[in-house]
Structures are given as structure tokens and as C-alpha cells.
Amino acid sequence: MPDRLSESMGVALYAMFIGLLVPSVRSNMRILWVALLAMGVNYVCQRFGMNQGWAIVVGTLIGGAGGIWLLEDEEEES
């Protein structure tokens, strides 16, 4: 695979994530807080020297756990 194509795949991955996130945020603003929590944890982990791959895993796990806590009220209302 050419280097130029390989580098563009990283950008495509972020674009795909944003494309999936925006419709969800439009329907429910609490999802924005979950995404920001995961992003913040990822940033802090990388800032303190954690490997990028592990920082993504930790951010995803903590963001998911935060989503359970932030979004549990909606499930009770239904």
C-alpha cells in the first residue's frame, strides 16, 4: 500500500467517527458529554506518556462507563 494512501486512512477513520457521532449528538446532547469525556481521558493519558493505542482503549472504557452513568436516566423514562 502506498504511503500516501496509508496516511489518508488515519484521516478517514476520524472522519468516519465524526460522521457517526454528529447524528447522535443532534438527537441527544448527553452523548456529546460522553464523547468529550473519552476525548479528555485519551488526551490526559497520552500527555502523561501512555502509548497512543492504550490511551484510546482507556479513553473508550472510561467514556463508555461514563455513558452508562450519564444516559441511565433516559432508559428509566422510557
Side-chain angles (χ1 to χ4, degrees):
M1 184 180 297
D3 289 336
R4 192 171 189 184
L5 181 61
S6 179
E7 291 173 5
S8 68
M9 291 298 180
V11 174
L13 180 65
Y14 291 118
M16 181 181 66
F17 175 72
I18 290 169
L20 292 170
L21 183 64
V22 168
S24 297
V25 169
R26 284 186 179 170
S27 66
N28 186 351
M29 287 302 289
R30 288 184 182 181
I31 294 175
L32 176 65
W33 292 111
V34 173
L36 290 174
L37 173 66
M39 182 180 69
V41 169
N42 184 359
Y43 174 77
V44 169
C45 288
Q46 284 188 32
R47 192 77 173 143
F48 286 107
M50 188 179 283
N51 182 337
Q52 182 180 6
W54 283 110
I56 291 172
V57 170
V58 171
T60 302
L61 290 174
I62 293 175
I68 291 171
W69 178 67
L70 285 170
L71 300 174
E72 75 179 340
D73 293 341
E74 290 180 6
E75 201 169 287
E76 292 173 2
E77 291 174 5
S78 296

Coordinates of all heavy atoms in Angstrom, one line a residue:
M1 N 0.8 -1.2 0.0 CA 0.0 0.0 0.0 C 0.9 1.2 0.0 O 1.8 1.3 0.8 CB -0.9 0.0 1.2 CG -1.9 1.1 1.3 SD -3.0 1.2 2.7 CE -3.9 -0.3 2.6
P2 N 0.6 2.2 -0.9 CA 1.5 3.4 -0.9 C 1.4 4.2 0.4 O 0.3 4.2 1.1 CB 0.9 4.2 -2.1 CG 0.1 3.2 -2.9 CD -0.3 2.1 -1.9
D3 N 2.4 4.9 0.7 CA 2.5 5.7 2.0 C 1.4 6.7 2.0 O 0.8 7.0 3.0 CB 3.8 6.3 2.1 CG 4.9 5.4 2.5 OD1 4.6 4.3 3.0 OD2 6.1 5.7 2.2
R4 N 1.1 7.4 0.9 CA 0.1 8.4 0.8 C -1.3 7.9 1.1 O -2.0 8.5 1.9 CB 0.1 9.0 -0.6 CG -0.6 10.3 -0.7 CD -0.4 11.0 -2.0 NE -1.0 12.3 -2.0 CZ -1.0 13.0 -3.1 NH1 -0.4 12.6 -4.2 NH2 -1.6 14.2 -3.0
L5 N -1.6 6.7 0.6 CA -2.9 6.1 0.9 C -3.0 5.7 2.4 O -4.0 5.8 3.0 CB -3.1 4.9 0.0 CG -4.4 4.2 0.1 CD1 -5.6 5.1 -0.2 CD2 -4.4 3.0 -0.8
S6 N -1.9 5.1 2.9 CA -1.8 4.7 4.3 C -2.1 5.9 5.2 O -2.8 5.8 6.2 CB -0.5 4.0 4.6 OG -0.4 3.6 5.9
E7 N -1.4 7.0 5.0 CA -1.6 8.2 5.8 C -3.0 8.7 5.7 O -3.6 9.2 6.7 CB -0.6 9.3 5.4 CG 0.8 9.0 5.7 CD 1.8 10.0 5.1 OE1 1.4 11.0 4.5 OE2 3.0 9.7 5.3
S8 N -3.7 8.6 4.6 CA -5.0 9.2 4.4 C -6.0 8.3 5.1 O -7.1 8.8 5.5 CB -5.4 9.3 2.9 OG -5.5 8.0 2.3
M9 N -5.7 7.0 5.4 CA -6.6 6.2 6.1 C -6.8 6.7 7.6 O -7.9 6.5 8.1 CB -6.1 4.7 6.1 CG -6.2 4.1 4.8 SD -7.9 4.0 4.3 CE -7.7 3.2 2.7
G10 N -5.8 7.2 8.2 CA -5.9 7.8 9.5 C -6.9 8.9 9.5 O -7.8 9.0 10.4
V11 N -6.9 9.8 8.6 CA -7.9 10.9 8.5 C -9.3 10.3 8.2 O -10.2 10.8 8.7 CB -7.4 11.9 7.3 CG1 -8.5 12.9 7.1 CG2 -6.1 12.5 7.7
A12 N -9.4 9.3 7.4 CA -10.7 8.7 7.0 C -11.3 8.1 8.3 O -12.5 8.2 8.5 CB -10.5 7.7 5.9
L13 N -10.5 7.5 9.2 CA -11.0 6.9 10.4 C -11.6 8.0 11.3 O -12.7 7.8 11.8 CB -9.9 6.2 11.1 CG -10.3 5.5 12.4 CD1 -11.3 4.4 12.2 CD2 -9.1 5.0 13.1
Y14 N -10.9 9.1 11.4 CA -11.5 10.2 12.2 C -12.8 10.8 11.6 O -13.7 11.1 12.3 CB -10.5 11.3 12.4 CG -9.3 10.9 13.3 CD1 -8.0 10.9 12.8 CD2 -9.6 10.6 14.6 CE1 -7.0 10.5 13.7 CE2 -8.5 10.2 15.5 CZ -7.2 10.2 15.0 OH -6.2 9.8 15.8
A15 N -12.8 10.9 10.3 CA -14.0 11.4 9.6 C -15.1 10.5 9.7 O -16.3 10.9 9.9 CB -13.6 11.6 8.1
M16 N -14.9 9.2 9.7 CA -16.0 8.2 9.9 C -16.5 8.3 11.3 O -17.7 8.3 11.5 CB -15.4 6.8 9.6 CG -16.5 5.7 9.8 SD -15.9 4.1 9.5 CE -14.8 3.9 10.9
F17 N -15.7 8.5 12.3 CA -16.1 8.6 13.7 C -17.0 9.8 13.9 O -18.0 9.8 14.5 CB -14.9 8.6 14.6 CG -15.3 8.9 16.0 CD1 -15.9 7.9 16.8 CD2 -15.1 10.1 16.6 CE1 -16.3 8.1 18.1 CE2 -15.4 10.4 17.9 CZ -16.0 9.4 18.7
I18 N -16.5 11.0 13.3 CA -17.3 12.2 13.4 C -18.6 12.0 12.7 O -19.7 12.5 13.1 CB -16.5 13.4 12.9 CG1 -15.3 13.7 13.8 CG2 -17.4 14.6 12.7 CD1 -14.3 14.6 13.3
G19 N -18.6 11.4 11.5 CA -19.9 11.1 10.8 C -20.9 10.3 11.6 O -22.1 10.5 11.4
L20 N -20.4 9.4 12.4 CA -21.3 8.6 13.2 C -21.7 9.3 14.5 O -22.8 9.1 15.0 CB -20.6 7.3 13.6 CG -20.3 6.3 12.5 CD1 -19.4 5.2 13.0 CD2 -21.6 5.7 12.0
L21 N -20.9 10.2 15.0 CA -21.1 10.9 16.2 C -22.1 12.1 16.1 O -23.0 12.3 16.9 CB -19.8 11.5 16.8 CG -19.9 12.2 18.1 CD1 -20.3 11.2 19.2 CD2 -18.6 12.8 18.5
V22 N -22.0 12.8 15.0 CA -22.9 14.0 14.8 C -24.4 13.7 14.8 O -25.1 14.4 15.5 CB -22.4 14.8 13.5 CG1 -23.4 15.9 13.1 CG2 -21.1 15.4 13.7
P23 N -24.9 12.7 14.1 CA -26.3 12.5 14.2 C -26.8 12.1 15.6 O -27.9 12.5 16.0 CB -26.6 11.3 13.2 CG -25.4 11.4 12.3 CD -24.3 11.9 13.1
S24 N -25.9 11.4 16.3 CA -26.3 11.0 17.7 C -26.3 12.2 18.6 O -27.2 12.3 19.5 CB -25.3 10.0 18.3 OG -25.3 8.8 17.5
V25 N -25.4 13.1 18.4 CA -25.3 14.3 19.3 C -26.5 15.2 19.0 O -27.1 15.9 19.9 CB -24.0 15.1 19.1 CG1 -24.0 16.4 19.7 CG2 -22.9 14.2 19.6
R26 N -26.9 15.3 17.7 CA -28.1 16.1 17.4 C -29.4 15.6 18.1 O -30.2 16.4 18.5 CB -28.3 16.1 15.9 CG -27.3 17.0 15.2 CD -27.7 17.1 13.7 NE -26.8 18.0 13.0 CZ -26.7 18.1 11.7 NH1 -27.5 17.4 11.0 NH2 -25.8 18.9 11.2
S27 N -29.5 14.3 18.3 CA -30.7 13.8 18.9 C -30.6 13.8 20.4 O -31.6 13.8 21.1 CB -31.0 12.4 18.4 OG -30.0 11.5 18.8
N28 N -29.4 13.8 21.0 CA -29.2 13.8 22.4 C -27.9 14.5 22.8 O -26.8 13.9 22.5 CB -29.2 12.3 22.9 CG -29.2 12.2 24.4 OD1 -29.0 13.2 25.1 ND2 -29.4 11.0 24.9
M29 N -28.0 15.6 23.5 CA -26.7 16.3 23.8 C -25.9 15.6 24.9 O -24.7 15.9 25.0 CB -27.1 17.7 24.3 CG -27.5 18.6 23.2 SD -26.3 18.8 21.9 CE -25.1 19.8 22.7
R30 N -26.5 14.7 25.6 CA -25.7 14.0 26.6 C -24.6 13.1 26.0 O -23.6 12.9 26.6 CB -26.6 13.1 27.5 CG -27.5 13.9 28.4 CD -28.2 12.9 29.3 NE -29.1 13.6 30.2 CZ -29.9 13.0 31.0 NH1 -29.9 11.7 31.1 NH2 -30.7 13.7 31.8
I31 N -24.8 12.7 24.8 CA -23.8 11.9 24.1 C -22.6 12.8 23.8 O -21.5 12.2 23.8 CB -24.4 11.3 22.8 CG1 -25.5 10.3 23.2 CG2 -23.3 10.7 21.9 CD1 -26.3 9.7 22.0
L32 N -22.8 14.1 23.6 CA -21.6 15.0 23.5 C -20.7 14.9 24.7 O -19.5 14.9 24.6 CB -22.1 16.4 23.2 CG -21.0 17.4 23.1 CD1 -20.1 17.2 21.9 CD2 -21.6 18.8 23.0
W33 N -21.3 14.9 25.9 CA -20.5 14.8 27.1 C -19.8 13.5 27.2 O -18.6 13.5 27.7 CB -21.4 15.1 28.3 CG -22.0 16.4 28.4 CD1 -23.2 16.8 28.2 CD2 -21.2 17.6 28.6 NE1 -23.4 18.2 28.3 CE2 -22.1 18.7 28.5 CE3 -19.9 17.9 28.8 CZ2 -21.7 20.0 28.7 CZ3 -19.5 19.2 29.0 CH2 -20.4 20.3 28.9
V34 N -20.4 12.4 26.8 CA -19.7 11.2 26.8 C -18.5 11.2 25.8 O -17.4 10.8 26.2 CB -20.6 10.0 26.4 CG1 -19.9 8.7 26.2 CG2 -21.8 9.9 27.4
A35 N -18.6 11.8 24.7 CA -17.5 11.9 23.7 C -16.4 12.8 24.2 O -15.3 12.5 24.1 CB -18.1 12.4 22.4
L36 N -16.8 13.9 24.8 CA -15.8 14.8 25.4 C -15.1 14.2 26.6 O -13.9 14.4 26.7 CB -16.5 16.1 25.8 CG -17.0 17.0 24.7 CD1 -17.7 18.2 25.3 CD2 -15.8 17.4 23.8
L37 N -15.8 13.4 27.4 CA -15.1 12.7 28.5 C -14.1 11.7 27.9 O -12.9 11.7 28.4 CB -16.1 11.9 29.3 CG -15.6 11.0 30.4 CD1 -14.9 11.8 31.5 CD2 -16.7 10.2 31.0
A38 N -14.4 10.9 26.9 CA -13.5 9.9 26.3 C -12.3 10.7 25.7 O -11.2 10.2 25.8 CB -14.2 9.1 25.3
M39 N -12.6 11.8 25.0 CA -11.5 12.5 24.4 C -10.6 13.1 25.5 O -9.3 13.1 25.3 CB -12.1 13.7 23.6 CG -11.1 14.5 22.8 SD -11.8 15.8 21.8 CE -12.4 16.9 23.1
G40 N -11.1 13.6 26.5 CA -10.3 14.2 27.6 C -9.4 13.2 28.3 O -8.2 13.4 28.5
V41 N -10.0 12.0 28.5 CA -9.2 10.9 29.2 C -8.1 10.5 28.2 O -6.9 10.2 28.6 CB -10.1 9.7 29.5 CG1 -9.3 8.5 29.9 CG2 -11.1 10.1 30.7
N42 N -8.4 10.3 26.9 CA -7.4 10.0 25.9 C -6.3 11.0 25.9 O -5.1 10.6 25.9 CB -8.0 9.9 24.6 CG -7.1 9.4 23.5 OD1 -5.9 9.2 23.7 ND2 -7.6 9.3 22.3
Y43 N -6.6 12.3 25.9 CA -5.6 13.3 25.9 C -4.7 13.3 27.2 O -3.5 13.4 27.1 CB -6.3 14.7 25.8 CG -5.3 15.8 25.9 CD1 -4.5 16.2 24.8 CD2 -5.2 16.6 27.1 CE1 -3.6 17.2 24.9 CE2 -4.3 17.6 27.2 CZ -3.5 17.9 26.1 OH -2.6 19.0 26.2
V44 N -5.3 13.1 28.3 CA -4.5 13.1 29.6 C -3.6 11.9 29.6 O -2.4 12.0 30.0 CB -5.5 13.1 30.8 CG1 -4.7 12.8 32.1 CG2 -6.2 14.5 30.9
C45 N -4.1 10.8 29.2 CA -3.3 9.5 29.2 C -2.1 9.7 28.2 O -1.0 9.4 28.6 CB -4.1 8.3 28.7 SG -5.3 7.8 30.0
Q46 N -2.3 10.3 27.1 CA -1.2 10.5 26.1 C -0.2 11.5 26.7 O 1.0 11.4 26.5 CB -1.7 10.9 24.8 CG -2.3 9.7 24.0 CD -2.6 10.1 22.6 OE1 -2.0 10.9 22.0 NE2 -3.7 9.5 22.0
R47 N -0.8 12.5 27.3 CA 0.1 13.6 27.8 C 1.0 13.1 28.9 O 2.1 13.6 29.1 CB -0.8 14.7 28.4 CG -0.2 16.0 28.7 CD 0.1 16.8 27.5 NE 0.6 18.1 27.8 CZ 1.5 18.7 27.2 NH1 2.0 18.2 26.1 NH2 1.9 19.9 27.6
F48 N 0.6 12.1 29.7 CA 1.4 11.6 30.7 C 2.2 10.4 30.3 O 2.7 9.6 31.1 CB 0.6 11.2 32.0 CG 0.2 12.4 32.7 CD1 -1.1 12.9 32.7 CD2 1.1 13.1 33.5 CE1 -1.5 14.0 33.4 CE2 0.7 14.3 34.2 CZ -0.6 14.7 34.1
G49 N 2.4 10.2 29.0 CA 3.3 9.2 28.4 C 2.7 7.8 28.1 O 3.5 6.9 27.7
M50 N 1.4 7.7 28.1 CA 0.9 6.4 27.8 C 0.9 6.2 26.3 O 0.8 7.2 25.5 CB -0.6 6.2 28.3 CG -1.2 4.9 28.1 SD -2.9 4.8 28.7 CE -2.6 4.7 30.5
N51 N 1.1 5.0 25.8 CA 1.1 4.6 24.4 C -0.2 5.1 23.8 O -1.3 4.9 24.4 CB 1.3 3.1 24.3 CG 1.4 2.7 22.8 OD1 0.9 3.3 21.9 ND2 2.0 1.5 22.7
Q52 N -0.2 5.5 22.5 CA -1.5 6.0 21.9 C -2.5 5.0 21.8 O -3.7 5.2 22.1 CB -1.2 6.6 20.5 CG -2.4 7.1 19.8 CD -2.1 7.6 18.4 OE1 -1.0 7.5 17.9 NE2 -3.0 8.2 17.8
G53 N -2.2 3.7 21.5 CA -3.2 2.7 21.4 C -3.8 2.4 22.8 O -5.0 2.2 22.8
W54 N -3.0 2.3 23.8 CA -3.6 2.1 25.2 C -4.4 3.3 25.7 O -5.4 3.1 26.4 CB -2.5 1.7 26.2 CG -2.0 0.3 26.0 CD1 -0.8 -0.1 25.5 CD2 -2.8 -0.8 26.3 NE1 -0.8 -1.4 25.5 CE2 -2.0 -1.9 26.0 CE3 -4.0 -1.1 26.8 CZ2 -2.4 -3.3 26.1 CZ3 -4.5 -2.4 27.0 CH2 -3.6 -3.5 26.6
A55 N -4.0 4.5 25.3 CA -4.8 5.7 25.7 C -6.2 5.6 25.0 O -7.1 6.0 25.7 CB -4.0 6.9 25.2
I56 N -6.2 5.2 23.8 CA -7.5 5.1 23.1 C -8.4 4.0 23.9 O -9.6 4.2 24.1 CB -7.4 4.7 21.7 CG1 -6.8 5.9 20.9 CG2 -8.7 4.3 21.0 CD1 -6.4 5.6 19.5
V57 N -7.8 2.9 24.2 CA -8.5 1.9 25.0 C -9.1 2.4 26.3 O -10.2 2.2 26.6 CB -7.7 0.6 25.1 CG1 -8.3 -0.4 26.1 CG2 -7.4 -0.1 23.8
V58 N -8.2 3.0 27.1 CA -8.6 3.6 28.4 C -9.7 4.6 28.2 O -10.7 4.7 28.9 CB -7.4 4.1 29.1 CG1 -7.8 4.9 30.4 CG2 -6.4 3.0 29.5
G59 N -9.5 5.5 27.2 CA -10.5 6.6 27.0 C -11.8 6.0 26.6 O -12.9 6.4 27.0
T60 N -11.8 4.9 25.8 CA -13.1 4.3 25.4 C -13.8 3.6 26.5 O -15.0 3.7 26.7 CB -12.8 3.2 24.3 OG1 -12.1 3.9 23.2 CG2 -14.0 2.5 23.8
L61 N -13.0 2.9 27.4 CA -13.6 2.2 28.5 C -14.2 3.2 29.5 O -15.3 3.1 30.0 CB -12.6 1.4 29.2 CG -12.1 0.1 28.4 CD1 -11.0 -0.6 29.2 CD2 -13.3 -0.8 28.2
I62 N -13.4 4.3 29.8 CA -13.9 5.3 30.8 C -15.1 6.1 30.2 O -16.1 6.4 30.9 CB -12.8 6.2 31.3 CG1 -11.8 5.3 32.1 CG2 -13.3 7.4 32.1 CD1 -10.6 6.1 32.6
G63 N -15.0 6.4 28.9 CA -16.1 7.1 28.3 C -17.4 6.2 28.2 O -18.5 6.7 28.5
G64 N -17.2 4.9 28.0 CA -18.3 4.0 28.0 C -19.0 3.9 29.4 O -20.2 3.9 29.5
A65 N -18.1 3.8 30.4 CA -18.6 3.8 31.8 C -19.3 5.1 32.1 O -20.4 5.1 32.8 CB -17.5 3.5 32.7
G66 N -18.8 6.2 31.7 CA -19.4 7.5 31.9 C -20.8 7.6 31.2 O -21.7 8.1 31.7
G67 N -20.8 6.9 30.0 CA -22.1 6.9 29.2 C -23.1 6.1 29.9 O -24.3 6.5 29.9
I68 N -22.8 5.1 30.6 CA -23.7 4.3 31.4 C -24.3 5.2 32.4 O -25.5 5.2 32.7 CB -23.1 3.0 32.0 CG1 -22.7 2.1 30.8 CG2 -24.0 2.4 33.0 CD1 -21.9 0.9 31.3
W69 N -23.5 5.9 33.1 CA -24.0 6.8 34.2 C -24.8 8.0 33.7 O -25.8 8.3 34.2 CB -22.7 7.3 35.0 CG -23.1 8.2 36.1 CD1 -23.8 7.9 37.2 CD2 -22.8 9.6 36.2 NE1 -23.9 9.0 38.0 CE2 -23.3 10.0 37.4 CE3 -22.1 10.4 35.4 CZ2 -23.2 11.4 37.8 CZ3 -22.0 11.8 35.8 CH2 -22.5 12.2 37.0
L70 N -24.3 8.6 32.6 CA -25.0 9.8 32.1 C -26.3 9.5 31.4 O -27.2 10.3 31.4 CB -24.0 10.6 31.1 CG -22.9 11.3 31.7 CD1 -22.0 11.8 30.7 CD2 -23.5 12.5 32.5
L71 N -26.4 8.3 30.7 CA -27.5 8.0 29.9 C -28.5 7.1 30.6 O -29.5 6.7 30.0 CB -27.1 7.4 28.6 CG -26.2 8.3 27.7 CD1 -25.7 7.5 26.5 CD2 -26.9 9.5 27.3
E72 N -28.3 6.7 31.9 CA -29.2 5.8 32.6 C -30.6 6.4 32.8 O -31.6 5.7 32.9 CB -28.6 5.3 33.8 CG -28.6 6.2 35.0 CD -27.9 5.7 36.2 OE1 -27.9 4.4 36.4 OE2 -27.5 6.4 37.1
D73 N -30.7 7.7 33.0 CA -31.9 8.4 33.2 C -32.9 8.2 32.1 O -34.1 8.1 32.3 CB -31.7 9.9 33.5 CG -31.0 10.1 34.8 OD1 -31.0 9.2 35.7 OD2 -30.4 11.2 35.0
E74 N -32.4 8.2 30.9 CA -33.2 8.1 29.7 C -33.9 6.8 29.6 O -35.0 6.6 29.2 CB -32.4 8.3 28.4 CG -31.9 9.7 28.2 CD -31.1 9.9 27.0 OE1 -31.0 8.9 26.2 OE2 -30.6 10.9 26.7
E75 N -33.2 5.7 30.0 CA -33.7 4.4 30.0 C -34.9 4.2 31.0 O -35.8 3.6 30.7 CB -32.6 3.4 30.3 CG -32.9 2.0 29.8 CD -31.7 1.1 29.9 OE1 -30.8 1.3 29.0 OE2 -31.7 0.3 30.7
E76 N -34.8 4.9 32.1 CA -35.8 4.8 33.1 C -37.1 5.6 32.7 O -38.2 5.2 33.0 CB -35.3 5.4 34.4 CG -34.2 4.6 35.1 CD -33.6 5.3 36.3 OE1 -34.0 6.4 36.6 OE2 -32.6 4.7 36.8
E77 N -36.9 6.6 31.9 CA -38.0 7.4 31.4 C -38.9 6.7 30.4 O -40.1 6.9 30.3 CB -37.5 8.7 30.8 CG -36.9 9.7 31.8 CD -36.3 10.9 31.1 OE1 -36.4 11.0 29.9 OE2 -35.7 11.7 31.9
S78 N -38.3 5.8 29.6 CA -39.0 5.1 28.5 C -39.9 4.0 29.1 O -39.8 3.5 30.1 CB -38.0 4.5 27.6 OG -37.2 5.5 27.0

